[in-house]
Amino acid sequence: MSTTVAKDVNELFNPEVRSEIDRWIAKYPPEWKQSAVMAALRIVQDDNGGWLTTELMNDVAAYLDMPAIAVYEVATFYSMYELKPVGKHKICVCTNVSCMISKADNIVEHLEKRLGISFGEVTEDGRYSLKEVECLGACGGAPMMQIGQQYYENLTPEIVDAILEGLE
Amino acid sequence: MANEVCLRTLDLERPWLLEQYQSRGGYEMLKKVLTEKTPPDQIIEEVKKSGLRGRGGAGFPTGLKWSFITRNAPGQKYVVCNSDEGEPGTFKDRDILRYNPHQLIEGMVLAGYAIGATRGYNYIRGEFWEPYERFEQALEEAREAGYLGENLLGSGFDFELHAHLGAGAYICGEETALLESIEGKKGQPRYKPPFPAHFGLYGCPTIINNTESLASIPMILEKGGEWFSDIGVKNSGGSKLFSISGNINNPGVFEIPMGTPFSQLLEMAGGMKDGRQIKAVIPGGSSAPVIPGDQMMELTMDYDAIAGAGSMLGSGAVVVLDDTNCMVKVLDRMSYFYHEESCGQCTPCREGTGWLYRVVHRIETGQGRQEDLDLLDDVAGKISGKTICALGDAAAMPVQGMLRHFRDEFQYHIDHKRCMVGAG
Ligand SMILES: Cc1cc2nc3c(=O)[nH]c(=O)nc-3n(C[C@H](O)[C@H](O)[C@H](O)COP(=O)(O)O)c2cc1C
Ligand code: SF4
Ligand code: FES
């Protein structure tokens, strides 16, 4: 019989991840640990190279005393969670109206050509992935993109090149 | 009369620091209220007098909203700030979080005092990492200075405040979806009633206000409701942050009196780029019906004027389009957005946004049929007013607006399988 041994909740995640999740749990009423699920998913995703495995989601569920299905629901509802591997640098390009009329198309085309991938794909070496995103609330700097936590605004193909060359 | 309320510290070198905020009288209002034990009703009265209407898009009077809370009812109450800023075209709350986070904190504590709430959350969209960090840093400073926590400045009043980060979902800007999201669930709007004032966060009485609404409170109380009201015009008190973007020279956020002529705002934003002609303006975020450029040039930026032109001031997000833009392409992109972001709970919205997108998209790609224009009108009409939340209306209104003003461009696409504008 193949049974999965229930993990000890206190052994889930590494200490930094655990303490970061605990910091979020402390923000909410004690009976509402579940409120920390969005933060917990983000934290474990970052720690796992940018994407969530089923095992990680199950661990989050165990850690927060939630049914696993409730965690999957959250992970699939919000667009910033990734359920498949992404590049080391996830490049999110806004194509909504203000960016579109400020020539976001050129930026997308340039990135696709330079990286040899389209939206939703990862480069073979795993360095980059491309994602189309909705308005990121920075339309004054259109066209714009986000890589990691950073916004890059007023883009031109030349600026995009310089940004990519500056990444680790 | 620019930058007098939410952006009043913008000229300082590092306005997000406590010490800099205090150098402009920051937290003085909170100190005064706490030491004088100002009656909460007096605060709500002042906010009512100010004519402040919700800056998140719906324009509901803030003071009136606060008065729906039964202050003396037992149990926890909450103040929730909506910094989800997802309405396409809007980018003002980001600047408040980055440049004036302390004024937002002060506003939230004052709101808590006024409604008898001792806890608050600020829901910040997940992509706003830099603004989130600024806000967290400000929270820490405020806690250290005794403006947050227990027994504030010895007054006996407690207020604790935290940031909650979203994770990418436009619908979480809708207030009840936002509450669900804080509770650790999918962001699906709740049926109303009950309204959040009675059944809000964790089932407790809650007020939800936009970042700009709450950040306006300290100045309203310091200078008086009448002062604020007088900055603006009838039915549109105060100044307002306008996020202006598109085909213009100097896009950005401008805090100017309500009732300022649009032509003046356009001038502040550097005028049209490359000397192009103005074709159209989306005056209040992408769900606001489009207004033709020449008509817009005659309008003032306030609730009544924009509503009078068949649109809405919304979140004050102004997208300026020049004559090189194909309106079918613009609507195609907007319809895709609403279709993508529908939470899928109600059939008219889930199915209707899909129809709108597919039909606009086939017109855009030269596959349109003659009956499609009536079909669009029909589908939009079937969504409006028949859904749990306002996303359905937000999807329908831009379609109706485009067909009202630019029907000929859609017709041209159907007849000629290509754009009327440019070579496209
Ligand atoms: C689909 C949808 C998205 C919304 N997005 C936002 C938003 O990003 N920010 C915001 O403040 N209000 C947003 N709202 C409005 C809120 O539901 C709510 O009215 C507002 O936060 C109340 O605050 P106010 O009265 O201070 O404006 C949205 C509404 C809908 C229907
Ligand atoms: S109107 Fe649309 S977004 Fe709003 S609850 Fe219904 S399906 Fe969800
Ligand atoms: S449209 Fe691209 S950031 Fe708003």
Side-chain angles (χ1 to χ4, degrees), chain B residues 5-6 43-66 92 96 103 107 111 207-221 224-241 255 258 303 313:
Chain B
V5 184
C6 296
I43 294 179
I44 296 181
E45 263 328 293
E46 213 55 46
V47 176
K48 280 186 180 163
K49 229 189 274 170
S50 75
L52 174 66
R53 293 170 59 173
R55 302 303 197 219
F60 192 84
T62 304
L64 184 61
K65 183 185 276 188
W66 292 8
K92 65 190 177 66
I96 295 176
Q103 193 163 317
I207 57 150
I208 306 176
N209 279 117
N210 172 255
T211 315
E212 182 186 348
S213 310
L214 288 163
S216 302
I217 299 301
M219 290 311 287
I220 288 173
L221 298 185
E226 216 172 281
W227 169 83
F228 186 83
S229 168
D230 286 348
I231 296 177
V233 293
K234 188 166 165 274
N235 290 330
S236 301
S239 51
K240 163 102 194 75
L241 301 183
E255 183 168 46
M258 287 279 202
Y303 293 105
L313 194 67

Side-chain angles (χ1 to χ4, degrees), chain A residues 7-131:
Chain A
K7 296 184 198 171
D8 179 351
V9 170
N10 299 311
E11 308 244 299
L12 293 173
F13 315 124
N14 65 51
E16 293 86 70
V17 165
R18 221 168 33 233
S19 84
E20 185 57 13
I21 298 176
D22 289 347
R23 192 176 72 78
W24 280 85
I25 292 175
K27 293 182 172 196
Y28 308 101
E31 66 280 20
W32 280 95
K33 253 177 144 168
Q34 173 173 354
S35 284
V37 65
M38 293 175 70
L41 287 172
R42 175 177 48 78
I43 293 160
V44 301
Q45 170 167 294
D46 285 351
D47 188 59
N48 186 51
W51 69 292
L52 292 166
T53 60
T54 308
E55 189 185 356
L56 281 172
M57 291 188 272
N58 290 343
D59 289 353
V60 165
Y63 199 73
L64 298 177
D65 273 331
M66 289 171 69
I69 179 79
V71 175
Y72 305 156
E73 271 184 11
V74 170
T76 49
F77 187 83
Y78 297 93
S79 65
M80 290 173 75
Y81 301 122
E82 304 292 344
L83 304 176
K84 282 190 309 209
V86 293
K88 177 175 179 207
H89 301 292
K90 178 167 95 175
I91 304 174
C92 301
V93 190
C94 171
T95 59
N96 210 304
V97 172
S98 293
C99 286
M100 181 183 92
I101 66 173
S102 306
K103 313 231 176 314
D105 290 5
N106 290 352
I107 302 303
V108 174
E109 217 171 282
H110 182 73
L111 279 164
E112 287 183 335
K113 222 186 264 160
R114 188 185 156 121
L115 302 176
I117 53 172
S118 311
F119 281 136
E121 296 176 352
V122 189
T123 54
E124 247 167 58
D125 61 3
R127 262 183 76 75
Y128 304 102
S129 53
L130 268 184
K131 183 168 180 163

Side-chain angles (χ1 to χ4, degrees), chain B residues 78-236:
Chain B
Y78 290 96
V79 175
V80 173
C81 174
N82 189 341
S83 298
D84 195 48
E85 190 141 83
E87 177 71 16
T90 318
F91 50 99
K92 65 190 177 66
D93 298 336
R94 177 179 177 225
D95 278 2
I96 295 176
L97 294 170
R98 289 196 295 175
Y99 302 125
N100 204 3
H102 280 292
Q103 193 163 317
L104 173 60
I105 294 172
E106 187 177 6
M108 288 187 74
V109 184
L110 287 164
Y113 179 91
I115 66 153
T118 58
R119 291 182 73 91
Y121 291 98
N122 184 13
Y123 190 103
I124 302 175
R125 64 177 298 171
E127 296 89 343
F128 275 180
W129 191 262
E130 183 203 3
Y132 159 73
E133 289 199 311
R134 280 276 170 81
F135 186 73
E136 283 275 308
Q137 186 192 354
L139 284 179
E140 227 162 272
E141 283 187 317
R143 240 174 244 134
E144 204 141 292
Y147 300 131
L148 287 175
E150 284 177 10
N151 191 17
L152 302 185
L153 309 174
S155 63
F157 176 68
D158 307 335
F159 196 81
E160 194 43 86
L161 175 57
H162 293 288
H164 181 97
L165 265 180
Y170 165 64
I171 191 59
C172 286
E174 196 280 335
E175 55 188 20
T176 58
L178 183 149
L179 296 176
E180 291 284 299
S181 185
I182 298 182
E183 293 181 2
K185 303 171 192 159
K186 294 187 283 187
Q188 289 193 320
R190 299 174 181 170
Y191 283 92
K192 289 188 265 190
F195 289 93
H198 296 115
F199 189 91
L201 183 61
Y202 306 130
C204 301
T206 302
I207 57 150
I208 306 176
N209 279 117
N210 172 255
T211 315
E212 182 186 348
S213 310
L214 288 163
S216 302
I217 299 301
M219 290 311 287
I220 288 173
L221 298 185
E222 182 186 318
K223 299 208 170 175
E226 216 172 281
W227 169 83
F228 186 83
S229 168
D230 286 348
I231 296 177
V233 293
K234 188 166 165 274
N235 290 330
S236 301

Side-chain angles (χ1 to χ4, degrees), chain B residues 266-306:
Chain B
L266 180 60
E267 205 179 296
M268 294 172 86
M272 299 303 293
K273 211 168 175 173
D274 304 329
R276 285 274 168 196
Q277 286 296 312
I278 184 168
K279 178 174 184 176
V281 175
I282 299 165
S286 81
S287 48
V290 66
I291 297 179
D294 48 356
Q295 187 182 357
M296 194 67 203
M297 291 302 280
E298 305 299 317
L299 294 177
T300 51
M301 300 304 294
D302 54 86
Y303 293 105
D304 291 354
I306 303 295

